[in-house]
Amino acid sequence: MKRLLVTGGAGFIGSNFVRHLLASDPDILVVNLDALTYAGSPANLEDLPDPSRHVFVHGDITDRPLVDGLLRRHTIDTIVHLAAETHVDRSIVGPAEFVRTNIEGTFILLEVARKAWLEDKLLPVGEVRFHHVSTDEVYGALDPAEPAADEEHAYRPTSPYAASKAASDHLVRAYARTYGLPVTLSNCSNNYGPRQFPEKLIPLMILNALEGKPLPVYGDGRQIRDWVHVDDHCEGLRTILRRGRPGETYHVGGGVQVANLDLLHSLCGLLDLRRPSTRPYAELIAFVADRPGHDRRYALDIGKIERELDWQPRETLDTGLAKTVDWYFDHPAWIEAIRAQPGYRAWLERNYAARGSNG
């Protein structure tokens, strides 16, 4: 793992992973390919540790000549595939882009890697790795008393987003089995932390609360999710790259399950302590109509990565939320740059305000 291609490296998880790599290993080069859609921003890549070892390329993973040229020009030995359309709400409104990016884009990356590494033997096959990052949502909803999903759990995706990620997972495993491509996969639970695009739950609630705006909660707010801090996820990815066995899948989660409404009350409590207002922030909570097909519970069993690779999350939900709130307090320029993007406010209006009250 010396010369990496990171796809989606200007997005939330990707930019944090790039920082993590540059800070933890002084000998690597990171080639960062990102299309800079709404969720990716150059602002996420400011003040990188040792930027001389970071090469940013503005481009699309579906551009096969571009991807092929990057692998050969930089003698890439590791691909970490993070580029994806990820927001369930957007996948419901416009699924075509999810199919193009998540399925076709993954196919292009696999084909380029197969040609360069297996056919043209750019590098010895024992020295290369294709790592694919997936989601807990491919497993679909779990019943309340059902055990957390392990790596053998059946796929039951329910949203266009989850279905597109499930399809890409199947492609990666097929290339490993059929062609012998050295791959690893990881499924992560809900990430949170610095530089998360503020349409996702935690940053949206922080920023709305600070402006005295309603805190929209889908349905009854009792949907249960597992949460992992993005720094823990990044360390999990690096651990898999260093010690994970080719062909294996590993779950990277926070080991904590909490209902969305309970999470929001914890967040409001933090805001009450750190930036008191004239009334408790929890009074801003507003229930809105639920989204179609909203799964009630996701949960990942992280026992395998703990046992086999000696990884476990360092942040508790309490410590991670506190760090996240403080980061958004300390970076108003980043917030304004993201909010200035075309269409950002229109999307929030369309997705939340138009839903109306849910009682």
Side-chain angles (χ1 to χ4, degrees):
M1 190 176 68
K2 295 298 181 184
R3 305 177 74 83
L4 291 86
L5 173 65
V6 177
T7 69
F12 165 47
I13 299 174
S15 63
N16 281 285
F17 184 57
V18 167
R19 290 175 184 277
H20 184 82
L21 287 172
L22 294 173
S24 59
D25 192 335
D27 298 322
I28 65 169
L29 171 74
V30 177
V31 179
N32 181 350
L33 175 62
D34 198 291
L36 295 180
T37 61
Y38 72 94
S41 171
N44 291 340
L45 300 172
E46 294 177 356
D47 303 320
L48 290 175
D50 196 356
S52 66
R53 294 185 287 114
H54 174 254
V55 178
F56 179 74
V57 180
H58 181 195
D60 197 304
I61 59 173
T62 61
D63 185 341
R64 180 166 181 165
L66 172 63
V67 177
D68 184 70
L70 292 177
L71 253 68
R72 297 172 188 275
R73 187 178 316 123
H74 298 284
T75 321
I76 296 296
D77 58 45
T78 305
I79 296 173
V80 181
H81 181 27
L82 280 153
E85 294 285 345
T86 65
H87 197 198
V88 173
D89 294 336
R90 288 182 184 261
S91 82
I92 294 171
V93 174
E97 192 61 29
F98 287 72
V99 171
R100 191 188 76 86
T101 299
N102 297 353
I103 302 176
E104 183 183 349
T106 301
F107 167 70
I108 295 297
L109 288 170
L110 289 166
E111 276 289 280
V112 168
R114 179 175 71 88
K115 182 69 166 59
W117 291 342
L118 303 185
E119 291 188 8
D120 298 343
K121 302 188 185 306
L122 183 69
L123 291 165
V125 70
E127 297 178 8
V128 298
R129 176 74 63 83
F130 187 108
H131 183 76
H132 177 67
V133 180
S134 188
T135 171
D136 57 2
E137 297 194 35
V138 297
Y139 298 121
L142 301 178
D143 293 333
E146 190 175 358
D150 64 15
E151 287 81 357
E152 303 301 320
H153 198 87
Y155 274 34
R156 298 179 302 195
T158 57
S159 70
Y161 159 60
S164 68
K165 289 299 291 183
S168 67
D169 294 0
H170 293 322
L171 276 173
V172 173
R173 292 191 175 98
Y175 270 67
R177 178 67 180 267
T178 302
Y179 302 111
L181 188 69
V183 308
T184 44
L185 292 87
S186 59
N187 299 78
C188 68
S189 56
N190 281 24
N191 278 234
Y192 68 101
R195 303 175 190 87
Q196 187 169 29
F197 191 73
E199 68 178 0
K200 296 297 181 81
L201 178 65
I202 289 176
L204 175 67
M205 296 303 169
I206 293 172
L207 302 186
N208 274 18
L210 294 180
E211 295 183 353
K213 295 180 178 178
L215 308 181
V217 176
Y218 285 150
D220 60 4
R222 303 314 302 178
Q223 302 87 1
I224 294 174
R225 299 293 183 264
D226 177 280
W227 293 88
V228 62
H229 192 276
V230 68
D231 289 345
D232 284 329
H233 185 196
C234 291
E235 179 58 29
L237 294 177
R238 182 167 171 265
T239 299
I240 294 168
L241 291 172
R242 291 170 59 221
R243 301 201 297 273
R245 290 180 290 136
E248 293 294 318
T249 299
Y250 300 92
H251 285 173
V252 183
V256 58
Q257 300 176 46
V258 62
N260 288 343
L261 186 58
D262 295 336
L263 174 72
L264 183 51
H265 278 290
S266 296
L267 198 56
C268 288
L270 275 172
L271 294 171
D272 288 335
L273 290 173
R274 281 168 159 71
R275 192 162 293 185
S277 181
T278 55
R279 58 174 180 157
Y281 288 102
E283 293 184 8
L284 295 172
I285 293 174
F287 295 93
V288 299
D290 208 351
R291 72 184 180 208
H294 198 176
D295 291 336
R296 293 293 282 181
R297 175 176 172 249
Y298 301 137
L300 289 180
D301 183 335
I302 60 174
K304 180 177 178 179
I305 194 172
E306 290 178 323
R307 292 189 307 271
E308 296 188 8
L309 306 185
D310 194 29
W311 173 92
Q312 59 184 5
R314 298 179 182 179
E315 298 290 350
T316 66
L317 189 57
D318 288 341
T319 62
L321 283 178
K323 289 182 178 181
T324 301
V325 167
D326 290 343
W327 190 89
Y328 283 95
F329 282 175
D330 295 340
H331 292 82
W334 181 91
I335 294 169
E336 291 311 309
I338 297 300
R339 283 178 156 179
Q341 293 181 4
Y344 167 69
R345 295 185 185 278
W347 164 255
L348 293 182
E349 179 69 20
R350 177 183 183 183
N351 191 54
Y352 291 104
R355 292 179 180 274
S357 173
N358 195 38

